[in-house]
Amino acid sequence: MFQKVMVAYDGSASGGIALQQATEIAGLTQAELHLFGVIVNTGGMAMAQAAGAEDMLSREGEAIRTRLDEVATKLRTDGLSVYTHAVEGSPAEAIAQYARQIHADLLVIGHIPQFSFGHWLEGSVAKALLRSLPCSILVAKKIR
């Protein structure tokens, strides 16, 4: 069924839910699990850099890479085949590009229920991915 499961993970609550569900699916199907992080360099981050916070992007990148490595180490001890990758960019574009590059069978992303200014400006990441990806997409939500 699934051979390569990719999860967009940023350490947030919704990312944690996506990670949990992707991990369960990868374990059940004995699929590779690809943890992917995006260091966002658009919108508010670009404005912060213009205001003199150049180091902000590198700190964010280091934090995301550290989170991915910590999670991967734990999941590998649980017997999963785990790969990590992080890039700078726009979330929808970066996620889609990596999913195509690794030939992902399933992409798992977290659901963010709150409406934000960034969402209004750039549109839904999930919506953009639905239009551009050839693989299945699971939008993970907290199960009550």
Side-chain angles (χ1 to χ4, degrees):
M1 184 174 200
F2 297 119
Q3 295 177 0
K4 293 183 182 181
V5 175
M6 177 181 162
V7 60
Y9 181 68
D10 61 2
S12 67
S14 62
I17 293 165
L19 175 65
Q20 178 186 6
Q21 292 184 23
T23 300
E24 289 176 19
I25 292 167
L28 289 170
T29 61
Q30 297 180 334
E32 292 177 0
L33 181 61
H34 292 260
L35 306 179
F36 185 75
V38 179
I39 301 119
V40 180
N41 65 5
T42 59
M45 188 62 79
M47 286 188 272
Q49 283 187 310
E54 295 92 21
D55 199 34
M56 186 180 246
L57 195 60
S58 64
R59 282 196 309 262
E60 179 66 16
E62 187 59 36
I64 287 174
R65 287 182 183 91
T66 298
R67 270 186 244 133
L68 293 176
D69 289 342
E70 288 170 352
V71 170
T73 298
K74 185 211 175 295
L75 293 174
R76 286 181 188 122
T77 62
D78 293 342
L80 290 173
S81 176
V82 183
Y83 301 88
T84 65
H85 192 71
V87 298
E88 281 185 33
S90 168
E93 292 171 16
I95 291 167
Q97 182 178 14
Y98 188 69
R100 284 192 292 273
Q101 178 184 329
I102 66 165
H103 304 286
D105 302 301
L106 175 67
L107 169 65
V108 183
I109 58 174
H111 176 259
I112 302 172
Q114 302 88 355
F115 180 81
S116 69
F117 183 68
H119 181 275
W120 177 78
L121 251 171
E122 298 179 12
S124 164
V125 171
K127 188 173 165 182
L129 291 170
L130 280 169
R131 286 191 300 261
S132 66
L133 281 182
C135 67
S136 295
I137 301 172
L138 170 63
V139 180
K141 293 176 73 173
K142 184 176 183 178
I143 301 171
R144 299 176 194 202

